[in-house]
């Protein structure tokens, strides 16, 4: 990932993780920038360390960015698994901007306006690579294990970059989620880089 020039934030598997004596996570350090993810360390509001992954076990568990993200053109990539495909929140910034997995066949992205995508390739207790991006022309894409997913009937997949994607935290799922890696870019990746990144994430 470090060889991709548009990389701006990198939360790496089993790297830069700070935990207290009970295994609660208090920080996940940014390996590319300085925008660390942090939690209170309170058991009721903090994820846990799990063999290199960050484990969210209830809806109150989250990690917050030190500085909220406000993105026009972007790419987000996650390596994660869940105890049930209906993960609910993955990232969010209040009620207007978020990404959530609704079911094994539906993922929702909201950038001011909600967009639903028909998905396949996700199943419970299985690691998956999930990508969400927006090009400079406003086109939004969703990728599961580097396979492009289709926008659901009746929904748009274009939101102008003048409507920024404003997010503040990772987590707050309704079920158990293990997050292995998060990568954030300020551009859409080329097909070649998407393939290489998917290969990298598959090694985790």
């Amino acid at each position: 990932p470090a060889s991709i020039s548009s990389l701006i934030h990198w939360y790496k598997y089993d790297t830069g993780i700070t935990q207290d004596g009970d295994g609660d996570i208090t920080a996940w350090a940014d390996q590319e920038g300085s925008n660390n993810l942090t939690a209170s360390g309170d058991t009721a509001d903090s994820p846990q360390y799990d063999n290199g992954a960050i484990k969210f076990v209830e809806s109150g568990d989250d990690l917050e960015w030190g500085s909220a993200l406000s993105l026009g053109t972007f790419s987000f990539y996650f390596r994660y698994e869940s105890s049930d495909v209906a993960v609910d929140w993955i990232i969010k910034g209040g009620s207007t901007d978020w990404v959530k997995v609704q079911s094994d066949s539906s993922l929702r992205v909201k950038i001011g306006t909600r967009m639903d995508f028909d998905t396949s390739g996700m199943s419970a207790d299985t690691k998956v690579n999930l990508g969400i991006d927006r090009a400079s022309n406003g086109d939004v894409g969703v990728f599961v294990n580097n396979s492009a997913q289709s926008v659901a009937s009746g929904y748009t997949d274009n939101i102008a970059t003048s409507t920024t994607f404003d997010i503040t935290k990772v987590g707050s799922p309704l079920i158990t989620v293990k997050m292995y890696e998060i990568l954030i870019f300020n551009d859409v990746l080329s097909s070649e880089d998407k393939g290489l990144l998917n290969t990298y994430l598959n090694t985790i």
Side-chain angles (χ1 to χ4, degrees):
S3 65
I4 301 175
S5 61
S6 58
L7 179 66
I8 55 173
H9 302 297
W10 184 8
Y11 307 93
K12 190 175 181 180
Y13 170 69
D14 206 17
T15 302
I17 298 171
T18 303
Q19 56 185 312
D20 63 17
D22 296 323
D24 296 315
I25 302 299
T26 56
W28 195 3
D30 187 354
Q31 301 300 306
E32 180 64 20
S34 57
N35 199 3
N36 297 339
L37 286 163
T38 62
S40 64
D42 182 274
T43 298
D45 300 312
S46 303
Q48 301 172 349
Y49 179 84
D50 190 308
N51 296 314
I54 308 296
K55 184 170 73 173
F56 303 86
V57 297
E58 59 185 356
S59 60
D61 290 353
D62 58 49
L63 290 168
E64 295 191 3
W65 274 284
S67 298
L69 302 180
S70 184
L71 303 169
T73 302
F74 67 84
S75 297
F76 269 88
Y77 284 88
F78 309 88
R79 174 76 162 170
Y80 81 98
E81 68 176 293
S82 65
S83 61
D84 188 326
V85 179
V87 174
D88 206 54
W89 312 112
I90 291 182
I91 54 174
K92 64 187 301 187
S95 62
T96 59
D97 296 73
W98 41 256
V99 173
K100 65 186 297 187
V101 178
Q102 185 71 11
S103 70
D104 60 353
S105 61
S106 178
L107 183 138
R108 296 175 178 176
V109 180
K110 189 174 184 184
I111 308 176
T113 298
R114 195 182 102 187
M115 295 164 279
D116 285 25
F117 290 82
D118 296 327
T119 57
S120 62
M122 294 185 288
S123 56
D125 300 313
T126 303
K127 294 177 182 177
V128 65
N129 302 328
L130 176 63
I132 301 100
D133 64 22
R134 178 170 60 173
S136 58
N137 66 357
D139 286 347
V140 176
V142 168
F143 304 86
V144 176
N145 296 322
N146 202 34
S147 177
Q149 310 296 295
S150 299
V151 67
S153 177
Y155 288 88
T156 184
D157 59 354
N158 184 282
I159 303 292
T161 57
S162 57
T163 300
T164 55
F165 188 37
D166 300 322
I167 55 171
T168 58
K169 62 184 178 180
V170 178
S172 297
L174 296 179
I175 58 171
T176 299
V177 173
K178 293 180 184 178
M179 191 68 70
Y180 292 89
E181 192 136 346
I182 304 171
L183 299 114
I184 306 172
F185 305 83
N186 62 8
D187 203 352
V188 172
L189 305 187
S190 67
S191 296
E192 180 181 11
D193 281 341
K194 286 177 181 175
L196 292 170
L197 183 60
N198 190 67
T199 298
Y200 161 77
L201 290 172
N202 282 340
T203 66
I204 299 171

